[in-house]
Each structure stands twice: as C-alpha cells, then as structure tokens.
Amino acid sequence: MLDTITSSTEISSLFAHAKRCNAHSVSLLIKRNEDRHGPRGRVAFIAGKKNGNAVWRNTAKRRMRAIVRDLGGPWAGYDVVFIAKRDILEVEYSKVLFACQTLIRSEVEK
C-alpha cells in the first residue's frame, strides 16, 4: 500500500516549494519531507480534467501508480507528486518508466 498525500493544503505547498522535474509525458514535484511524516516517503497522483475525461484520468493514475511500484517507491524521506500530461497514455510504458526513473534518480538518489 502506498502512503499518499491527500491534503490539498500539502499539495498546494508542494506546488509552491518543491522542485519541478519535467519529462515528455509526466512532471514530478519532489521535496524532502523533513521527517514530519516519519521516515517513509509519500506520493500523490494528479491527472487534470483539462487533459481528458474520467476514463483517461483513471487510466493515467493507474499507470503512474504502476510506475511508482516498478521503481520501488515511495522514496524514504521524500514527497513526490506525479502530474500526468496529455500524452501519458500514448507513449510506451517503458519510455514513461525510464523518464520517471531518470528524474527520480537525479533528485532522490543524489
């Protein structure tokens, strides 16, 4: 089970203060959680209404959750928000996975 960020206040704070990393089909907001929520990391998944209907949003979130599981997340000590871009479902899963892996490594595994 993934520890998720559910508070809109916390997500707004991450938009204001976290480092944004962009790939072609997904953006990530990554911020050290300063041990306020224990040693475990947390994640959130956002698929906006402007990008597609409910079916698109649910499929995009399902894909992002699979990426987190495949990459071994959530990452201890970090809050990470995955934001789907419009073409996340058209790009091959392996390419999206590789892009996310590269972004996570560049920030979390320094």
Side-chain angles (χ1 to χ4, degrees):
M1 182 83 179
L2 298 173
D3 272 349
T4 57
I5 304 166
T6 56
S7 164
S8 61
T9 305
E10 287 184 279
I11 290 176
S12 295
S13 174
L14 287 168
F15 268 96
H17 303 292
K19 176 160 173 120
R20 182 180 286 261
C21 304
N22 292 306
H24 191 268
S25 55
V26 68
S27 291
L28 303 180
L29 300 174
I30 302 173
K31 185 173 188 287
R32 195 126 178 87
N33 69 10
E34 289 115 21
D35 297 325
R36 287 185 294 180
H37 303 284
R40 297 182 54 133
R42 300 180 309 154
V43 294
F45 306 99
I46 298 174
K49 286 184 178 181
K50 71 178 184 177
N51 290 329
N53 61 15
V55 173
W56 181 90
R57 293 192 306 271
N58 290 336
T59 307
K61 287 180 184 180
R62 193 175 308 120
R63 180 172 265 206
M64 291 186 289
R65 283 191 299 267
I67 287 169
V68 169
R69 280 191 297 273
D70 287 348
L71 293 179
W75 298 270
Y78 286 90
D79 290 338
V80 181
V81 178
F82 286 75
I83 305 167
K85 293 185 180 177
R86 187 176 301 264
D87 66 345
I88 191 169
L89 301 180
E90 285 129 28
V91 177
E92 284 182 38
Y93 179 79
S94 60
K95 290 183 180 180
V96 179
L97 181 66
F98 180 75
C100 290
Q101 181 180 27
T102 303
L103 295 175
I104 293 289
R105 275 195 183 144
S106 70
E107 293 303 316
V108 172
E109 300 173 3
K110 286 182 177 178

